[in-house]
Amino acid sequence: MKIACVVGARPNLMKIAPLVRTMRDAKVDYRLIHTGQHYDYDLDGAFFKELGIPTPDLNLGIGSSSHGRQTGEALIGLEKEFYKNQPDLVLVVGDVNSTLAAALAAAKLDIPVAHVEAGYRSLDRRMPEEINRVLVDHVSEFLFAPTQDAVDNLGREGIDKDKIHFVGNIMAETLFQNLGKIEIRKKHKEFGVECKRYIVATIHRPENVDDIERLREILSAFSEAPLPVIFPVHPRTGKQIESARLLAGVNGHLRLTGPCSYLEMMSLLSDAALVLTDSGGVQEEACLLKVPCLTLRNNTERTITITIGANRLIEVTKPSISRAIGESMASGCVKWPTPEKWDAQVAWRILTVLLGEVKPQHHALTGTDARQ
Ligand code: UD1
């Protein structure tokens, strides 16, 4: 069986790492294809190195552009790749534009698609990732769900239950495999802050950073927090801060730094008193590391983190952010359980299903345009 694994952006990399390791150990024939959606070393190369992901067999180098162009260029490049190497299965992770392009290219060629992280729903169709999640799930043959809620979402959308497999959260496997390395990093010392005496913040979603006034309110609330706020800045956020000179007059407790590598980020998170974020993955990582999280969004697809009491959604205004930080600081030590199957066996559960069910394709793919 030949599997094509596709990645494109930073949040894909921690998800693919345990999968390629498990495939290599099981001697599965796989190819790793990178669309090149993320290309900066900080968002990409550093993660390959730290997580031991092999160099991709192919990098399409699509880079940044509008959603349509980015998805379209990945779709064209991946279709050519699938024609050439004829995989029996295309495996995609997460919900970025590259995930959608890969799933669509494969489905149109009648190659089965496996989606890892299937069934998450924010129910907000204004989010590009929500569109990607829904479309990818509906063209996939193997839907690997991280939670029972995700399984239920897929059932409600009429997806055949034989295609759905509740395997747990692949992000948990990466985290548990790297816990030992995180312990020896202790990044917070570089910022001159003490363990549990600082907050970590990440903000990069378009609805929070593309609106300058909203971003100004966020930064202002962070700067007035009762503890130092270490803020690794995504390039999208950095460009906005720079172009609108948003740091003028904002200082206080805000400590900006460039994007962190995976181990740096996990070491920062693990020792934090509180996490403020609009990222999906960070909500899960905070939950696993037992650090309370406040999510600066109206909704989340990671609903389990809310249900078990690890996470709260907060309105994105300065008074609301400041109030929520104060309440969280005052509430002391809050405990919650680790969600079911968020463990270090997820990749193996996935591979067991695939090895049992995927049939090698014996017919050559046909078509005209993409073979030119
Ligand atoms: C993408 C994903 C998002 C994910 C995020 C994590 C989609 C729809 N969005 O958003 O789900 O949470 O990655 O990082 O796929 N840029 C760089 N260097 C890079 C990559 C991007 O400077 O290596 C800049 C680009 O110039 C662009 C901005 O960051 O202006 C946005 O990049 P893009 O890939 O379009 O989306 P993200 O916001 O990173």
Side-chain angles (χ1 to χ4, degrees):
M1 174 174 58
K2 285 199 300 191
I3 300 183
C5 303
V6 181
V7 292
R10 176 172 66 176
N12 290 160
L13 303 178
M14 44 292 247
K15 293 168 195 163
I16 208 71
L19 289 160
V20 291
R21 187 180 315 107
T22 307
M23 282 192 264
R24 191 197 54 206
D25 292 349
K27 305 209 172 349
V28 171
D29 182 7
Y30 73 88
R31 260 173 85 74
L32 181 60
I33 301 135
H34 194 334
T35 65
Q37 176 175 341
H38 280 178
Y39 45 89
D40 281 354
Y41 182 76
D42 289 348
L43 293 193
D44 187 59
F47 286 76
F48 274 83
K49 201 166 157 213
E50 273 191 351
L51 296 170
I53 307 169
T55 306
D57 298 289
L58 173 70
N59 190 322
L60 298 173
I62 62 161
S64 297
S65 48
S66 68
H67 283 268
R69 194 181 179 99
Q70 192 173 58
T71 312
E73 285 182 359
L75 181 63
I76 293 167
L78 289 165
E79 187 184 52
K80 282 193 182 139
E81 159 65 18
F82 298 158
Y83 261 112
K84 192 166 163 212
N85 285 297
Q86 312 240 337
D88 299 308
L89 178 90
V90 170
L91 186 143
V92 298
V93 294
D95 57 12
V96 302
N97 287 338
S98 301
T99 313
L100 173 62
L104 211 47
K108 295 253 180 184
L109 292 173
D110 205 19
I111 302 169
V113 176
H115 183 207
V116 176
E117 205 180 83
Y120 270 160
R121 296 288 183 270
S122 66
L123 304 180
D124 179 357
R125 290 282 172 104
R126 287 166 307 174
M127 279 178 79
E129 293 82 359
E130 181 73 355
I131 310 274
N132 295 344
R133 287 190 279 264
V134 172
L135 295 177
V136 172
D137 285 340
H138 282 259
V139 295
S140 292
E141 285 301 309
F142 297 92
L143 295 103
F144 294 112
T147 61
Q148 185 57 48
D149 291 350
V151 172
D152 297 343
N153 291 337
L154 295 168
R156 267 194 294 277
E157 290 177 13
I159 291 178
D160 182 352
K161 70 175 177 9
D162 292 344
K163 295 182 177 179
I164 307 168
H165 306 271
F166 174 26
V167 292
N169 189 344
I170 197 74
M171 298 276 283
E173 178 154 353
T174 309
L175 183 58
F176 290 134
Q177 276 170 351
N178 285 285
L179 272 183
K181 295 184 204 156
I182 291 164
E183 275 312 299
I184 52 173
R185 286 263 167 152
K186 295 302 166 198
K187 176 85 178 162
H188 66 263
K189 290 186 184 143
E190 289 171 31
F191 289 92
V193 289
E194 288 170 30
C195 188
K196 299 293 168 195
R197 300 291 305 151
Y198 66 94
I199 295 169
V200 175
T202 78
I203 298 292
H204 76 282
R205 301 204 57 75
E207 69 267 24
N208 282 335
V209 307
D210 291 358
D211 176 343
I212 293 292
E213 285 318 309
R214 194 166 162 115
L215 184 55
R216 196 191 303 278
E217 289 222 2
I218 294 171
L219 295 178
S220 176
F222 288 0
S223 74
E224 291 174 20
L227 292 176
V229 176
I230 300 176
F231 184 8
V233 180
H234 183 281
R236 178 183 204 113
T237 315
K239 281 178 197 165
Q240 292 292 85
I241 291 176
E242 212 168 292
S243 70
R245 299 176 191 276
L246 289 181
L247 290 184
V250 174
N251 35 44
H253 266 152
L254 196 52
R255 311 265 170 94
L256 266 59
T257 177
C260 290
S261 74
Y262 179 78
L263 294 178
E264 285 170 348
M265 190 64 189
M266 292 311 107
S267 87
L268 268 181
L269 286 181
S270 63
D271 286 336
L274 177 67
V275 177
L276 305 167
T277 193
D278 61 5
S279 147
V282 173
Q283 294 171 54
E284 297 178 331
E285 287 158 345
C287 171
L288 285 158
L289 290 164
K290 309 288 178 194
V291 180
C293 182
L294 298 175
T295 296
L296 280 70
R297 285 171 48 184
N298 299 329
N299 52 54
T300 180
E301 55 293 328
R302 272 76 175 176
T303 43
I304 183 100
T305 60
I306 307 274
T307 321
I308 62 175
N311 186 14
R312 255 179 70 196
L313 298 176
I314 55 170
E315 199 192 341
V316 187
T317 61
K318 184 177 171 185
S320 161
I321 299 168
S322 300
R323 191 169 52 246
I325 294 174
E327 286 166 3
S328 182
M329 298 277 95
S331 64
C333 181
V334 183
K335 289 199 160 71
W336 54 84
T338 298
E340 188 186 354
K341 297 192 191 176
W342 287 30
D343 58 25
Q345 305 299 321
V346 182
W348 184 241
R349 285 187 201 110
I350 291 170
L351 203 59
T352 304
V353 172
L354 295 178
L355 290 174
E357 295 191 24
V358 177
K359 307 277 172 285
Q361 307 230 355
H362 293 299
H363 63 281
L365 299 172
T366 54
T368 48
D369 294 343
R371 286 185 297 171
Q372 287 163 10

